[in-house]
């Protein structure tokens, strides 16, 4: 041990200097992010490029912080897709706001494990407060309690675990076979998130037992078809377990008819889970309170503040009617934790499979206090204004058409070339659907490869469409117009080449 005198951490004065250096780096990065490519150029930074730029052998001796930060600039930043870039228009475009960065910085040195009340009373009680603030903002009934997880995918798995236990008591102790459980069926629209299948895999229910329900012209679950599918499954000796109603689907942000679905669930004694991962956040807008109609009939509801309430990844909340139902399924206290478990207090380790829990509530608390509901609502209203403006631009260009109703902060659209003009003259010039699919996909790929913007694509009714999702506080009308012009130009160039 040659460096026995250096067994401690970074000396305090040096650490203070490094913090100031990092603060300047963060501020410069955020101020200048718009000048960076949104994504790496595949021709320059293709698969393996980052690996090749980094040492294969781990360091034997410590290295200066300045050198490490230099490599972040040299290797890491150029190899990133910058989700906080104002021209990142894919997925739901979640962002890192200034208060969010400050909240994360405060959280890191505190470095607590929020597993029980005793291991950190402040973490436990602040989580309880923050979860209830969100509940109030999005109009979830008071009898629902919540717990913070990383993503909605984890939330739906935990919710369905409770549904499974209540439908087949003692599954927790004896397993599905030991509990003599039937073959369960779950139902979600064809537009719902794939987390339903992942939950079924993890819970031993089987991926094939997630039944996808067709949607209507607005990409919402069709309740009449759901009813028919349940009737057929009961006849075939399956046990309907749960239905997932989505408020803000991933592709189109469509909203399933929750009241009709809840009625079917009540009639069949099924669990109703509402996936509001994206859409629930928009319920803080007074004009969107209708989104919450029927929520009072649900058994569980997921809200992802990291998608529409400005909390950086990862932060998701699962609400369950009578949270004790969730605790009964997951509580387990081994002897080595018994001394730190106070039964009279809430121990969040009891509400899921995770034992070690980050202090996620702190960053949300900083953000919510900094913005207030009014500040967040104003930003969400601006997203709505911008996507409707984009929809008008699309309608006014004969080469493009909307592929779905415009919902919340999402627009799905499609390049159709001269199809509409050709329909009025001759069918000979009308491109095939397959060719149109390829062009729409190529437009997205060309733009993303350029690093000037980032879009996503999806399929609706079997056809490839472009998709823009707003969620970045740095994105303005100027950025959206720039992206729209880029799409039009790229479409024209691809069309000329073919």
């Amino acid at each position: 041990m040659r460096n026995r005198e250096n067994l401690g951490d970074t000396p305090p004065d040096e650490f203070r200097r490094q913090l100031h250096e990092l603060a300047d780096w963060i501020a410069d990065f955020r101020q200048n992010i718009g000048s960076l490519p949104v994504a790496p150029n595949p021709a320059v930074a293709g698969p393996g490029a980052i690996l090749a730029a980094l040492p294969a052998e781990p360091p034997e001796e410590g290295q200066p912080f300045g050198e490490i930060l230099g490599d972040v600039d040299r290797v890491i930043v150029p190899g990133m897709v910058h989700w906080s870039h104002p021209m990142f228009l894919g997925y739901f475009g979640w962002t890192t706001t200034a208060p969010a960065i400050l909240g994360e910085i405060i959280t890191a040195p505190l470095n607590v494990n929020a597993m029980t009340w005793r291991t950190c009373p402040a973490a436990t009680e602040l989580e309880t407060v923050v979860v209830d603030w969100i509940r109030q903002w999005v109009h979830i009934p008071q009898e629902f309690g919540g717990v913070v997880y990383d993503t909605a995918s984890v939330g739906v798995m935990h919710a369905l675990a409770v549904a499974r236990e209540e439908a087949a008591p003692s599954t927790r102790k004896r397993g599905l076979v030991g509990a003599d459980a039937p073959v369960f069926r779950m139902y979600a629209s064809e537009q719902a998130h794939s987390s339903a299948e992942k939950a079924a895999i993890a819970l031993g229910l089987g991926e094939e037992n997630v039944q996808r329900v067709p949607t209507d012209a607005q990409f919402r679950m069709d309740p009449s078809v759901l009813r028919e599918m349940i009737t057929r499954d009961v006849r075939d000796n399956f046990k309907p377990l749960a239905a997932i109603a989505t408020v803000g689907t991933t592709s189109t942000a469509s909203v399933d008819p929750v009241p009709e679905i809840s009625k079917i669930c009540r009639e069949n004694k099924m669990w109703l889970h509402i996936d509001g991962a994206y859409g629930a956040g928009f319920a803080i807008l007074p004009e969107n309170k209708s989104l919450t109609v029927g929520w009072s009939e649900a058994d569980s509801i997921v809200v992802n503040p990291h998608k529409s309430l400005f909390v950086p990844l990862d932060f998701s909340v699962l609400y369950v009617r009578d949270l004790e139902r969730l605790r009964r399924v997951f509580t387990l206290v081994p002897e080595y934790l018994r001394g730190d478990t106070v039964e009279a207090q809430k121990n969040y380790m009891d509400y899921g499979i995770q034992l070690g829990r980050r202090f996620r509530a702190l960053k949300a608390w900083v953000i919510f206090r900094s913005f207030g509901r009014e500040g967040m609502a104003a930003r969400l209203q601006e997203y709505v204004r911008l996507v409707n403006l984009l929809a008008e631009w699309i309608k006014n260009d004969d080469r493009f058409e909307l592929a779905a109703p415009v919902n919340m902060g999402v627009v799905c659209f499609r390049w159709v070339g001269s199809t509409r003009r050709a329909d009025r003259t001759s069918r000979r010039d009308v491109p095939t659907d397959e060719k149109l699919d390829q062009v729409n996909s190529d437009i997205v790929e060309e733009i993303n490869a350029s690093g000037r913007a980032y879009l996503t694509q999806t399929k609706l009714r079997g056809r490839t469409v472009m998709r823009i999702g707003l969620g970045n506080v740095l994105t303005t009308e100027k950025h959206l117009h720039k992206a729209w012009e880029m799409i039009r130009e790229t479409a024209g160039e691809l069309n000329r080449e073919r």
Side-chain angles (χ1 to χ4, degrees), residues 141 143-145 295-300 319-323 325:
E143 59 265 31
F144 283 77
W295 289 17
S296 60
E297 302 299 322
D299 293 282
S300 56
Y319 293 92
V320 177
R321 181 192 300 280
D322 181 9
L323 198 60
R325 301 161 81 187

Side-chain angles (χ1 to χ4, degrees), residues 440-485:
N440 278 274
S441 180
D442 288 347
I443 292 170
V444 173
E445 293 300 319
E446 288 272 343
I447 290 173
N448 290 357
S450 74
R452 296 182 296 160
Y454 197 96
L455 317 177
T456 43
Q457 57 182 297
T458 189
K459 281 191 178 292
L460 299 176
R461 305 284 186 250
R463 302 271 65 93
T464 301
V465 304
M466 290 177 275
R467 179 189 176 283
I468 283 180
L470 298 185
N472 193 325
V473 295
L474 300 180
T475 302
T476 65
E477 183 176 330
K478 176 187 71 175
H479 295 106
L480 191 62
H481 190 267
K482 183 179 177 181
W484 171 237
E485 290 303 311

Side-chain angles (χ1 to χ4, degrees), residues 107-279:
T107 303
L110 297 181
N111 191 37
V112 299
N113 188 340
M115 59 183 180
T116 72
W117 179 86
R118 183 169 280 177
T119 58
C120 190
T124 297
E125 296 187 18
L126 186 61
E127 180 168 336
T128 302
V129 168
V130 166
V131 163
D132 197 63
W133 282 2
I134 298 168
R135 181 196 64 76
Q136 293 177 55
W137 276 337
V138 302
H139 313 291
I140 294 174
Q142 195 166 6
E143 59 265 31
F144 283 77
V147 57
V148 175
Y149 300 126
D150 52 357
T151 67
S153 301
V154 174
V156 69
M157 183 188 73
H158 284 77
L160 291 174
V162 181
R164 182 190 65 176
E165 182 69 21
E166 293 187 358
S170 77
T171 300
R172 166 192 156 126
K173 291 185 178 295
R174 301 170 59 197
L176 288 166
V177 174
D180 195 24
V183 178
F184 289 115
R185 281 282 167 91
M186 295 169 289
Y187 308 86
S189 92
E190 59 191 9
Q191 292 292 315
H193 196 275
S194 60
S195 58
E197 281 84 1
K198 288 200 173 184
I201 293 167
L203 294 171
L205 302 176
E207 178 185 356
E208 291 183 356
N209 287 314
V210 177
Q211 298 294 290
R212 291 290 181 162
V213 184
T215 56
D216 62 17
Q218 295 181 298
F219 300 99
R220 305 173 305 177
M221 183 191 291
D222 187 331
S224 64
V225 179
L226 170 64
R227 190 182 295 277
E228 292 170 4
M229 293 172 70
I230 292 171
T231 300
R232 183 175 64 245
D233 282 345
V234 170
R235 185 186 63 225
D236 293 341
N237 294 318
F238 293 104
K239 172 67 174 175
L241 176 68
I244 299 172
T246 307
V247 177
T249 57
T250 304
S251 287
T252 68
S254 58
V255 178
D256 287 337
V258 175
E260 292 90 332
I261 296 169
S262 67
K263 181 180 179 182
I264 294 171
C265 287
R266 288 197 307 272
E267 291 171 355
N268 291 277
K269 296 182 173 56
M270 294 165 53
W271 184 281
L272 173 59
H273 176 72
I274 295 176
D275 179 359
Y278 175 61

Side-chain angles (χ1 to χ4, degrees), residues 398 417-431:
D398 197 48
S418 57
T419 300
R420 283 182 276 182
R421 223 174 282 114
D423 282 342
R424 295 194 294 266
T425 55
S426 169
R427 295 294 299 175
R428 290 178 299 175
D429 299 325
V430 177

Side-chain angles (χ1 to χ4, degrees), residues 295-341:
W295 289 17
S296 60
E297 302 299 322
D299 293 282
S300 56
I301 303 169
V302 156
V303 182
N304 274 18
H306 70 223
K307 283 183 177 169
S308 53
L309 290 179
F310 307 99
V311 180
L313 195 72
D314 46 15
F315 193 97
S316 178
V317 185
L318 170 67
Y319 293 92
V320 177
R321 181 192 300 280
D322 181 9
L323 198 60
E324 178 65 16
R325 301 161 81 187
L326 185 63
R327 196 192 73 83
R328 282 196 295 266
V329 174
F330 288 105
T331 183
L332 185 67
V333 183
E335 286 302 322
Y336 54 79
L337 289 175
R338 199 165 298 281
D340 271 335
T341 302

